[in-house]
Amino acid sequence: MKITTWNVNSLTARLQHVLDWTAANPVDVLCLQELKLTDDKFPLEVLRSVGYEHCAVFGQKTYNGVAIMSRLPVRDIVKNIVGFADEHSRVIAATIDGPAGEVRLVNGYFVNGQAPGTDKFEYKMSWLRGLRDYLSEEMARHPRLVLLGDFNIAPEDRDSYDPEGLRETIHHTTQERDHFRKLIELGLCDSFRLFEQPEKSYSWWDYRMLGYQKNRGLRIDHILVSEALKPGVKGCAIDRVPRKWDKPSDHAPVTVEI
């Protein structure tokens, strides 16, 4: 089974990119973030026509929004973090009935946080605590679990183009990295780091100052798999190709094969 995460930064603006990419890369499950549209605007029929017959959507006008598009049956859909009150559409979970057994997917658009010391950063910290509590319970029920999405965290220095210059700035703070580590300690592993990867491998580049052209990027889009799934992971890669297209998302898709 191939599972992809991709922050499309507006599905309305990037629908053709999604169609073109999935035509060339017919992954089984595509998890999207930053839909920036309400559920009624989700292009369900278009996506069904290209094979994604099973879609779980949690949209929001203008901001946020997450979706799971699947060629395989989807069930037991849960929206947002159970036990954490949040007015934003940031998390959607579902069980996928795969060929080798069911897999629980938790797709998240993590809080950005803006800057340390701000109210938005404190919201990010509380949101991450709520996510960890929720995942602890989810993993007890679903040992075969994948947590994926735009984490807005560069977990290690090698995940940033300028680790020294950006140290303790947003995405790079000790607090954020501690939260990432605590997710790992639940019994998850970073599938990208299970394999030898090229140096300076990033999944996001700023639109400004030739960020992509100069490879001034961050690896903030992650796919974490549980220990039960780890032996079956065959590969994980970032596809930079869509970032070169006209009017692209600032994120690239990341795919794991299990």
Side-chain angles (χ1 to χ4, degrees):
M1 185 191 321
K2 289 187 177 181
I3 304 169
T4 297
T5 179
W6 192 3
N7 179 325
V8 290
N9 191 15
S10 173
L11 184 56
T12 301
R14 245 65 72 176
L15 177 59
Q16 191 59 52
H17 286 195
V18 169
L19 296 174
D20 291 345
W21 190 83
T22 53
N25 304 271
V27 295
D28 301 290
V29 183
L30 177 59
C31 295
L32 303 178
Q33 302 91 39
E34 275 205 278
L35 303 178
K36 297 184 178 180
L37 50 74
T38 52
D39 290 8
D40 60 305
K41 302 294 184 183
F42 189 82
L44 190 59
E45 293 308 317
V46 174
L47 295 169
R48 282 177 172 168
S49 73
V50 296
Y52 292 98
E53 298 181 7
H54 311 277
C55 295
V57 184
F58 187 27
Q60 182 177 333
K61 185 179 180 180
T62 309
Y63 302 103
N64 308 315
V66 285
I68 297 171
M69 299 162 35
S70 178
R71 300 180 186 275
L72 302 165
V74 171
R75 56 183 169 83
D76 300 335
I77 298 165
V78 175
K79 298 178 180 180
N80 257 345
I81 299 172
V82 175
F84 181 83
D86 193 358
E87 62 184 10
H88 301 295
S89 302
R90 292 190 173 277
V91 177
I92 190 165
T95 297
I96 308 293
D97 291 318
E102 69 175 44
V103 175
R104 186 67 172 173
L105 288 183
V106 180
N107 173 26
Y109 174 46
F110 289 38
V111 179
N112 181 291
Q114 191 179 52
T118 65
D119 290 343
K120 290 183 179 180
F121 188 80
E122 289 309 310
Y123 164 47
K124 184 173 191 173
M125 296 298 100
S126 62
W127 190 92
L128 286 166
R129 287 191 291 270
L131 177 68
R132 187 170 71 250
D133 292 344
Y134 165 61
L135 281 173
S136 179
E137 296 180 2
E138 279 289 277
M139 291 184 67
R141 290 191 294 266
H142 306 283
R144 292 166 55 87
L145 183 141
V146 177
L147 171 66
L148 75 173
D150 175 2
F151 283 46
N152 274 312
I153 300 171
E156 300 178 62
D157 282 357
R158 58 179 168 168
D159 297 315
S160 173
Y161 75 94
D162 185 10
E164 288 303 325
L166 295 171
R167 192 169 302 284
E168 297 305 329
T169 64
I170 197 65
H171 311 313
H172 300 75
T173 65
T174 299
Q175 298 100 309
E176 292 167 294
R177 289 178 168 181
D178 282 348
H179 276 289
F180 188 92
R181 177 179 50 78
K182 288 173 181 176
L183 290 174
I184 296 293
E185 289 173 354
L186 290 176
L188 297 167
C189 65
D190 184 347
S191 61
F192 189 76
R193 292 300 179 201
L194 292 176
F195 306 92
E196 185 175 345
Q197 303 286 0
E199 291 185 4
K200 300 181 179 180
S201 291
Y202 308 127
S203 63
W204 173 90
W205 301 261
D206 200 320
Y207 288 127
R208 300 166 297 179
M209 298 182 292
L210 300 175
Y212 178 74
Q213 291 83 346
K214 295 180 179 180
N215 200 27
R216 293 164 59 90
L218 306 176
R219 190 177 74 96
I220 56 176
D221 302 89
H222 306 294
I223 303 177
L224 307 187
V225 300
S226 64
E227 289 294 332
L229 289 174
K230 181 179 176 180
V233 177
K234 302 302 180 187
C236 184
I238 300 167
D239 185 358
R240 294 170 55 123
V241 170
R243 188 61 177 80
K244 303 173 186 177
W245 293 347
D246 185 45
K247 297 180 180 179
S249 168
D250 43 358
H251 295 254
V254 183
T255 301
V256 66
E257 182 175 4
I258 301 174

CSV table of all heavy atoms in Angstrom, one decimal, residues 17-70:
chain,number,residue,atom,x,y,z
A,17,HIS,N,-3.2,20.0,-10.2
A,17,HIS,CA,-1.9,19.5,-9.7
A,17,HIS,C,-2.1,18.1,-9.1
A,17,HIS,O,-1.4,17.1,-9.4
A,17,HIS,CB,-1.2,20.4,-8.8
A,17,HIS,CG,-0.6,21.6,-9.4
A,17,HIS,ND1,0.3,22.4,-8.8
A,17,HIS,CD2,-0.8,22.1,-10.6
A,17,HIS,CE1,0.7,23.4,-9.5
A,17,HIS,NE2,0.0,23.3,-10.7
A,18,VAL,N,-3.2,18.0,-8.3
A,18,VAL,CA,-3.5,16.7,-7.6
A,18,VAL,C,-3.9,15.7,-8.7
A,18,VAL,O,-3.4,14.5,-8.6
A,18,VAL,CB,-4.6,16.9,-6.6
A,18,VAL,CG1,-5.2,15.6,-6.1
A,18,VAL,CG2,-4.2,17.7,-5.4
A,19,LEU,N,-4.7,16.1,-9.6
A,19,LEU,CA,-5.1,15.1,-10.7
A,19,LEU,C,-3.9,14.7,-11.5
A,19,LEU,O,-3.7,13.5,-11.9
A,19,LEU,CB,-6.1,15.8,-11.6
A,19,LEU,CG,-7.5,16.1,-10.9
A,19,LEU,CD1,-8.4,16.9,-11.8
A,19,LEU,CD2,-8.2,14.9,-10.4
A,20,ASP,N,-3.0,15.7,-11.9
A,20,ASP,CA,-1.8,15.3,-12.7
A,20,ASP,C,-0.9,14.4,-11.9
A,20,ASP,O,-0.3,13.5,-12.5
A,20,ASP,CB,-1.1,16.6,-13.1
A,20,ASP,CG,-1.9,17.4,-14.1
A,20,ASP,OD1,-2.9,16.9,-14.7
A,20,ASP,OD2,-1.6,18.6,-14.3
A,21,TRP,N,-0.7,14.7,-10.6
A,21,TRP,CA,0.3,13.9,-9.9
A,21,TRP,C,-0.3,12.5,-9.6
A,21,TRP,O,0.5,11.6,-9.7
A,21,TRP,CB,0.6,14.6,-8.5
A,21,TRP,CG,1.7,14.0,-7.8
A,21,TRP,CD1,3.0,14.2,-8.0
A,21,TRP,CD2,1.6,13.0,-6.8
A,21,TRP,NE1,3.8,13.4,-7.2
A,21,TRP,CE2,2.9,12.6,-6.4
A,21,TRP,CE3,0.5,12.4,-6.2
A,21,TRP,CZ2,3.2,11.7,-5.4
A,21,TRP,CZ3,0.8,11.4,-5.2
A,21,TRP,CH2,2.1,11.1,-4.8
A,22,THR,N,-1.5,12.4,-9.3
A,22,THR,CA,-2.1,11.1,-9.0
A,22,THR,C,-2.2,10.2,-10.3
A,22,THR,O,-2.1,9.0,-10.3
A,22,THR,CB,-3.4,11.1,-8.3
A,22,THR,OG1,-4.3,12.0,-9.1
A,22,THR,CG2,-3.3,11.6,-6.9
A,23,ALA,N,-2.3,10.9,-11.5
A,23,ALA,CA,-2.3,10.2,-12.7
A,23,ALA,C,-0.9,9.5,-12.9
A,23,ALA,O,-0.9,8.4,-13.4
A,23,ALA,CB,-2.6,11.1,-13.9
A,24,ALA,N,0.1,10.2,-12.6
A,24,ALA,CA,1.5,9.7,-12.7
A,24,ALA,C,1.9,8.8,-11.5
A,24,ALA,O,2.8,8.0,-11.6
A,24,ALA,CB,2.5,10.8,-12.9
A,25,ASN,N,1.2,9.0,-10.4
A,25,ASN,CA,1.6,8.3,-9.1
A,25,ASN,C,0.3,7.8,-8.5
A,25,ASN,O,-0.2,8.5,-7.5
A,25,ASN,CB,2.3,9.3,-8.2
A,25,ASN,CG,3.6,9.9,-8.8
A,25,ASN,OD1,4.6,9.3,-8.7
A,25,ASN,ND2,3.4,11.0,-9.4
A,26,PRO,N,-0.3,6.8,-9.0
A,26,PRO,CA,-1.6,6.3,-8.5
A,26,PRO,C,-1.6,5.7,-7.1
A,26,PRO,O,-1.8,4.5,-6.9
A,26,PRO,CB,-2.1,5.3,-9.6
A,26,PRO,CG,-0.8,4.8,-10.1
A,26,PRO,CD,0.2,5.9,-10.1
A,27,VAL,N,-1.2,6.5,-6.1
A,27,VAL,CA,-1.1,5.9,-4.7
A,27,VAL,C,-2.4,5.5,-4.3
A,27,VAL,O,-3.5,5.9,-4.7
A,27,VAL,CB,-0.5,7.0,-3.8
A,27,VAL,CG1,0.9,7.3,-4.2
A,27,VAL,CG2,-1.4,8.2,-3.8
A,28,ASP,N,-2.4,4.6,-3.3
A,28,ASP,CA,-3.7,4.0,-2.8
A,28,ASP,C,-4.4,5.0,-1.9
A,28,ASP,O,-5.7,5.1,-1.9
A,28,ASP,CB,-3.4,2.7,-1.9
A,28,ASP,CG,-2.7,1.7,-2.8
A,28,ASP,OD1,-3.3,1.1,-3.6
A,28,ASP,OD2,-1.5,1.5,-2.5
A,29,VAL,N,-3.7,5.8,-1.1
A,29,VAL,CA,-4.3,6.8,-0.2
A,29,VAL,C,-3.5,8.1,-0.3
A,29,VAL,O,-2.3,8.1,-0.3
A,29,VAL,CB,-4.3,6.3,1.2
A,29,VAL,CG1,-5.0,7.3,2.1
A,29,VAL,CG2,-4.9,4.9,1.3
A,30,LEU,N,-4.3,9.2,-0.5
A,30,LEU,CA,-3.7,10.5,-0.5
A,30,LEU,C,-4.3,11.3,0.6
A,30,LEU,O,-5.5,11.6,0.6
A,30,LEU,CB,-3.9,11.2,-1.9
A,30,LEU,CG,-3.4,12.6,-2.0
A,30,LEU,CD1,-1.9,12.7,-1.8
A,30,LEU,CD2,-3.7,13.1,-3.4
A,31,CYS,N,-3.5,11.8,1.5
A,31,CYS,CA,-3.9,12.6,2.6
A,31,CYS,C,-3.5,14.1,2.4
A,31,CYS,O,-2.3,14.4,2.2
A,31,CYS,CB,-3.3,12.1,3.9
A,31,CYS,SG,-3.9,10.5,4.4
A,32,LEU,N,-4.5,14.9,2.3
A,32,LEU,CA,-4.3,16.3,2.0
A,32,LEU,C,-4.5,17.2,3.2
A,32,LEU,O,-5.3,16.9,4.1
A,32,LEU,CB,-5.3,16.8,0.9
A,32,LEU,CG,-5.3,16.0,-0.4
A,32,LEU,CD1,-6.3,16.6,-1.3
A,32,LEU,CD2,-3.9,16.0,-1.1
A,33,GLN,N,-3.7,18.3,3.2
A,33,GLN,CA,-3.9,19.4,4.3
A,33,GLN,C,-4.0,20.7,3.6
A,33,GLN,O,-3.7,20.9,2.4
A,33,GLN,CB,-2.7,19.4,5.2
A,33,GLN,CG,-2.4,18.1,5.9
A,33,GLN,CD,-1.4,17.3,5.2
A,33,GLN,OE1,-0.5,17.8,4.6
A,33,GLN,NE2,-1.6,15.9,5.1
A,34,GLU,N,-4.6,21.7,4.4
A,34,GLU,CA,-4.8,23.0,3.9
A,34,GLU,C,-5.7,23.0,2.7
A,34,GLU,O,-5.4,23.6,1.6
A,34,GLU,CB,-3.5,23.8,3.7
A,34,GLU,CG,-3.0,24.5,4.9
A,34,GLU,CD,-2.1,25.7,4.7
A,34,GLU,OE1,-0.9,25.5,4.4
A,34,GLU,OE2,-2.6,26.8,4.8
A,35,LEU,N,-6.9,22.4,2.8
A,35,LEU,CA,-7.9,22.4,1.7
A,35,LEU,C,-8.4,23.8,1.4
A,35,LEU,O,-8.6,24.1,0.3
A,35,LEU,CB,-9.1,21.5,2.1
A,35,LEU,CG,-8.8,20.0,2.4
A,35,LEU,CD1,-10.1,19.4,2.8
A,35,LEU,CD2,-8.1,19.3,1.3
A,36,LYS,N,-8.6,24.6,2.5
A,36,LYS,CA,-9.1,25.9,2.4
A,36,LYS,C,-10.4,26.0,1.7
A,36,LYS,O,-10.7,26.9,0.8
A,36,LYS,CB,-8.1,26.8,1.7
A,36,LYS,CG,-6.8,27.0,2.5
A,36,LYS,CD,-5.8,28.0,1.8
A,36,LYS,CE,-4.5,28.2,2.6
A,36,LYS,NZ,-3.6,29.1,2.0
A,37,LEU,N,-11.3,25.0,1.9
A,37,LEU,CA,-12.6,25.0,1.4
A,37,LEU,C,-13.6,24.2,2.3
A,37,LEU,O,-13.1,23.4,3.1
A,37,LEU,CB,-12.7,24.4,0.0
A,37,LEU,CG,-12.0,23.1,-0.3
A,37,LEU,CD1,-12.7,21.9,0.2
A,37,LEU,CD2,-11.8,22.9,-1.8
A,38,THR,N,-14.8,24.5,2.2
A,38,THR,CA,-15.8,23.8,3.0
A,38,THR,C,-16.2,22.4,2.4
A,38,THR,O,-15.9,22.2,1.2
A,38,THR,CB,-17.1,24.6,3.2
A,38,THR,OG1,-17.5,25.1,1.9
A,38,THR,CG2,-16.8,25.9,4.0
A,39,ASP,N,-16.8,21.6,3.2
A,39,ASP,CA,-17.1,20.2,2.7
A,39,ASP,C,-17.9,20.2,1.4
A,39,ASP,O,-17.7,19.4,0.5
A,39,ASP,CB,-17.8,19.4,3.8
A,39,ASP,CG,-17.0,19.1,5.0
A,39,ASP,OD1,-15.8,19.6,5.0
A,39,ASP,OD2,-17.4,18.3,5.9
A,40,ASP,N,-18.8,21.1,1.3
A,40,ASP,CA,-19.7,21.1,0.1
A,40,ASP,C,-19.0,21.6,-1.2
A,40,ASP,O,-19.5,21.3,-2.3
A,40,ASP,CB,-20.9,22.1,0.3
A,40,ASP,CG,-20.5,23.5,0.6
A,40,ASP,OD1,-19.7,23.7,1.5
A,40,ASP,OD2,-21.0,24.4,-0.1
A,41,LYS,N,-17.8,22.2,-1.0
A,41,LYS,CA,-17.0,22.6,-2.2
A,41,LYS,C,-15.9,21.5,-2.5
A,41,LYS,O,-15.2,21.7,-3.5
A,41,LYS,CB,-16.3,23.9,-1.9
A,41,LYS,CG,-17.2,25.1,-1.5
A,41,LYS,CD,-18.1,25.5,-2.7
A,41,LYS,CE,-18.9,26.7,-2.3
A,41,LYS,NZ,-19.9,27.1,-3.4
A,42,PHE,N,-15.8,20.5,-1.8
A,42,PHE,CA,-14.8,19.4,-2.0
A,42,PHE,C,-15.2,18.8,-3.4
A,42,PHE,O,-16.3,18.3,-3.5
A,42,PHE,CB,-14.8,18.4,-0.9
A,42,PHE,CG,-13.7,17.4,-1.0
A,42,PHE,CD1,-12.4,17.8,-0.6
A,42,PHE,CD2,-13.9,16.2,-1.5
A,42,PHE,CE1,-11.3,16.9,-0.6
A,42,PHE,CE2,-12.8,15.3,-1.6
A,42,PHE,CZ,-11.5,15.6,-1.2
A,43,PRO,N,-14.2,18.6,-4.3
A,43,PRO,CA,-14.5,18.0,-5.6
A,43,PRO,C,-14.7,16.5,-5.6
A,43,PRO,O,-13.9,15.8,-6.3
A,43,PRO,CB,-13.3,18.5,-6.5
A,43,PRO,CG,-12.2,18.6,-5.5
A,43,PRO,CD,-12.8,19.0,-4.2
A,44,LEU,N,-15.7,16.1,-4.9
A,44,LEU,CA,-15.8,14.6,-4.7
A,44,LEU,C,-16.0,13.8,-5.9
A,44,LEU,O,-15.3,12.8,-6.2
A,44,LEU,CB,-17.0,14.4,-3.7
A,44,LEU,CG,-17.2,13.0,-3.2
A,44,LEU,CD1,-16.0,12.5,-2.4
A,44,LEU,CD2,-18.5,13.0,-2.3
A,45,GLU,N,-16.9,14.3,-6.8
A,45,GLU,CA,-17.1,13.5,-8.1
A,45,GLU,C,-15.9,13.5,-9.0
A,45,GLU,O,-15.7,12.4,-9.6
A,45,GLU,CB,-18.4,14.1,-8.8
A,45,GLU,CG,-19.7,14.0,-8.0
A,45,GLU,CD,-19.9,12.5,-7.6
A,45,GLU,OE1,-19.7,11.6,-8.4
A,45,GLU,OE2,-20.3,12.3,-6.4
A,46,VAL,N,-15.2,14.6,-9.0
A,46,VAL,CA,-14.0,14.6,-9.9
A,46,VAL,C,-13.0,13.6,-9.4
A,46,VAL,O,-12.4,12.8,-10.1
A,46,VAL,CB,-13.3,16.0,-9.9
A,46,VAL,CG1,-12.0,16.0,-10.6
A,46,VAL,CG2,-14.3,17.0,-10.5
A,47,LEU,N,-12.8,13.5,-8.0
A,47,LEU,CA,-11.8,12.6,-7.5
A,47,LEU,C,-12.3,11.1,-7.6
A,47,LEU,O,-11.5,10.2,-7.8
A,47,LEU,CB,-11.5,13.0,-6.0
A,47,LEU,CG,-10.8,14.4,-5.9
A,47,LEU,CD1,-10.8,14.8,-4.5
A,47,LEU,CD2,-9.4,14.3,-6.5
A,48,ARG,N,-13.6,10.9,-7.4
A,48,ARG,CA,-14.1,9.6,-7.6
A,48,ARG,C,-13.9,9.1,-9.0
A,48,ARG,O,-13.6,7.9,-9.3
A,48,ARG,CB,-15.6,9.6,-7.2
A,48,ARG,CG,-15.8,9.5,-5.7
A,48,ARG,CD,-17.3,9.6,-5.4
A,48,ARG,NE,-17.6,9.4,-4.0
A,48,ARG,CZ,-18.8,9.6,-3.4
A,48,ARG,NH1,-19.8,10.0,-4.2
A,48,ARG,NH2,-18.9,9.4,-2.1
A,49,SER,N,-14.0,10.0,-10.0
A,49,SER,CA,-13.8,9.6,-11.4
A,49,SER,C,-12.4,9.2,-11.7
A,49,SER,O,-12.2,8.5,-12.7
A,49,SER,CB,-14.3,10.8,-12.3
A,49,SER,OG,-13.3,11.8,-12.2
A,50,VAL,N,-11.4,9.5,-10.9
A,50,VAL,CA,-10.1,9.1,-11.1
A,50,VAL,C,-9.6,8.0,-10.2
A,50,VAL,O,-8.5,7.7,-10.0
A,50,VAL,CB,-9.1,10.3,-11.1
A,50,VAL,CG1,-9.4,11.3,-12.2
A,50,VAL,CG2,-9.1,11.0,-9.7
A,51,GLY,N,-10.6,7.4,-9.5
A,51,GLY,CA,-10.3,6.2,-8.7
A,51,GLY,C,-10.4,6.4,-7.2
A,51,GLY,O,-10.3,5.4,-6.5
A,52,TYR,N,-10.5,7.6,-6.7
A,52,TYR,CA,-10.5,7.8,-5.2
A,52,TYR,C,-12.0,7.8,-4.8
A,52,TYR,O,-12.6,8.9,-4.5
A,52,TYR,CB,-9.8,9.1,-4.9
A,52,TYR,CG,-8.3,8.9,-5.1
A,52,TYR,CD1,-7.7,9.4,-6.3
A,52,TYR,CD2,-7.5,8.2,-4.2
A,52,TYR,CE1,-6.4,9.2,-6.5
A,52,TYR,CE2,-6.2,8.0,-4.4
A,52,TYR,CZ,-5.6,8.5,-5.6
A,52,TYR,OH,-4.2,8.3,-5.8
A,53,GLU,N,-12.6,6.6,-4.7
A,53,GLU,CA,-14.0,6.5,-4.5
A,53,GLU,C,-14.4,6.7,-3.1
A,53,GLU,O,-15.5,7.0,-2.8
A,53,GLU,CB,-14.4,5.1,-4.9
A,53,GLU,CG,-14.2,4.8,-6.4
A,53,GLU,CD,-14.7,3.4,-6.8
A,53,GLU,OE1,-15.3,2.7,-5.9
A,53,GLU,OE2,-14.5,3.0,-7.9
A,54,HIS,N,-13.4,6.6,-2.2
A,54,HIS,CA,-13.7,6.7,-0.7
A,54,HIS,C,-13.0,8.0,-0.2
A,54,HIS,O,-11.7,8.0,-0.1
A,54,HIS,CB,-13.2,5.5,0.0
A,54,HIS,CG,-13.7,4.2,-0.7
A,54,HIS,ND1,-15.0,3.7,-0.5
A,54,HIS,CD2,-13.1,3.4,-1.5
A,54,HIS,CE1,-15.1,2.6,-1.2
A,54,HIS,NE2,-14.0,2.4,-1.8
A,55,CYS,N,-13.7,9.0,0.2
A,55,CYS,CA,-13.1,10.3,0.7
A,55,CYS,C,-13.7,10.6,2.0
A,55,CYS,O,-14.9,10.7,2.1
A,55,CYS,CB,-13.3,11.4,-0.4
A,55,CYS,SG,-12.5,11.1,-1.9
A,56,ALA,N,-12.9,10.9,2.9
A,56,ALA,CA,-13.3,11.5,4.2
A,56,ALA,C,-12.8,12.9,4.3
A,56,ALA,O,-11.6,13.2,4.1
A,56,ALA,CB,-12.7,10.7,5.4
A,57,VAL,N,-13.7,13.9,4.5
A,57,VAL,CA,-13.4,15.3,4.4
A,57,VAL,C,-13.7,16.1,5.6
A,57,VAL,O,-14.8,15.8,6.2
A,57,VAL,CB,-14.1,15.9,3.2
A,57,VAL,CG1,-13.7,17.4,3.0
A,57,VAL,CG2,-13.8,15.1,1.9
A,58,PHE,N,-12.9,17.0,6.0
A,58,PHE,CA,-13.1,17.8,7.2
A,58,PHE,C,-12.7,19.2,6.8
A,58,PHE,O,-11.5,19.6,7.0
A,58,PHE,CB,-12.4,17.3,8.4
A,58,PHE,CG,-12.8,18.1,9.7
A,58,PHE,CD1,-14.0,18.7,9.9
A,58,PHE,CD2,-11.8,18.1,10.7
A,58,PHE,CE1,-14.3,19.4,11.1
A,58,PHE,CE2,-12.1,18.8,11.9
A,58,PHE,CZ,-13.3,19.4,12.1
A,59,GLY,N,-13.5,20.0,6.1
A,59,GLY,CA,-13.1,21.3,5.5
A,59,GLY,C,-13.4,22.4,6.4
A,59,GLY,O,-14.0,22.3,7.5
A,60,GLN,N,-12.9,23.6,6.0
A,60,GLN,CA,-13.1,24.9,6.7
A,60,GLN,C,-12.9,26.0,5.7
A,60,GLN,O,-12.0,25.9,4.8
A,60,GLN,CB,-12.1,25.0,7.8
A,60,GLN,CG,-12.3,26.3,8.6
A,60,GLN,CD,-11.3,26.3,9.8
A,60,GLN,OE1,-10.9,25.3,10.3
A,60,GLN,NE2,-11.0,27.5,10.2
A,61,LYS,N,-13.8,27.0,5.7
A,61,LYS,CA,-13.7,28.1,4.8
A,61,LYS,C,-12.4,28.9,5.0
A,61,LYS,O,-12.0,29.2,6.1
A,61,LYS,CB,-14.9,29.0,5.0
A,61,LYS,CG,-15.0,30.1,4.0
A,61,LYS,CD,-16.2,31.0,4.2
A,61,LYS,CE,-16.3,32.1,3.1
A,61,LYS,NZ,-17.5,33.0,3.3
A,62,THR,N,-11.7,29.1,3.9
A,62,THR,CA,-10.5,30.0,3.8
A,62,THR,C,-9.2,29.4,4.4
A,62,THR,O,-8.1,29.6,3.9
A,62,THR,CB,-10.8,31.3,4.5
A,62,THR,OG1,-12.0,31.9,3.9
A,62,THR,CG2,-9.7,32.3,4.2
A,63,TYR,N,-9.4,28.7,5.6
A,63,TYR,CA,-8.2,28.2,6.3
A,63,TYR,C,-8.3,26.7,6.6
A,63,TYR,O,-9.4,26.1,6.5
A,63,TYR,CB,-8.0,28.9,7.6
A,63,TYR,CG,-7.9,30.4,7.5
A,63,TYR,CD1,-9.0,31.2,7.8
A,63,TYR,CD2,-6.7,31.0,7.1
A,63,TYR,CE1,-8.9,32.6,7.7
A,63,TYR,CE2,-6.6,32.4,7.0
A,63,TYR,CZ,-7.7,33.2,7.3
A,63,TYR,OH,-7.6,34.5,7.2
A,64,ASN,N,-7.2,26.1,6.8
A,64,ASN,CA,-7.1,24.7,7.4
A,64,ASN,C,-7.8,23.7,6.4
A,64,ASN,O,-7.8,23.9,5.2
A,64,ASN,CB,-7.7,24.6,8.8
A,64,ASN,CG,-7.1,25.7,9.7
A,64,ASN,OD1,-5.9,25.8,9.7
A,64,ASN,ND2,-7.9,26.4,10.4
A,65,GLY,N,-8.4,22.6,7.0
A,65,GLY,CA,-9.1,21.6,6.2
A,65,GLY,C,-8.2,20.5,5.9
A,65,GLY,O,-7.0,20.6,5.4
A,66,VAL,N,-8.7,19.2,6.1
A,66,VAL,CA,-7.9,18.0,5.9
A,66,VAL,C,-8.8,17.0,5.2
A,66,VAL,O,-10.1,17.0,5.4
A,66,VAL,CB,-7.3,17.4,7.2
A,66,VAL,CG1,-6.1,18.2,7.6
A,66,VAL,CG2,-8.4,17.4,8.3
A,67,ALA,N,-8.2,16.1,4.5
A,67,ALA,CA,-9.0,15.0,3.8
A,67,ALA,C,-8.2,13.8,3.6
A,67,ALA,O,-6.9,13.8,3.5
A,67,ALA,CB,-9.5,15.5,2.4
A,68,ILE,N,-8.9,12.6,3.6
A,68,ILE,CA,-8.3,11.4,3.2
A,68,ILE,C,-9.0,10.9,2.0
A,68,ILE,O,-10.2,10.6,2.0
A,68,ILE,CB,-8.4,10.3,4.4
A,68,ILE,CG1,-7.7,10.8,5.6
A,68,ILE,CG2,-7.9,9.0,3.9
A,68,ILE,CD1,-7.9,10.0,6.8
A,69,MET,N,-8.2,10.7,0.9
A,69,MET,CA,-8.7,10.2,-0.4
A,69,MET,C,-8.2,8.8,-0.6
A,69,MET,O,-7.0,8.6,-0.5
A,69,MET,CB,-8.3,11.1,-1.6
A,69,MET,CG,-8.7,12.5,-1.5
A,69,MET,SD,-7.8,13.6,-2.6
A,69,MET,CE,-7.4,12.5,-4.0
A,70,SER,N,-9.1,7.8,-0.8
A,70,SER,CA,-8.6,6.4,-0.8
A,70,SER,C,-9.2,5.6,-2.0
A,70,SER,O,-10.4,5.8,-2.3
A,70,SER,CB,-8.9,5.8,0.5
A,70,SER,OG,-8.6,4.4,0.5
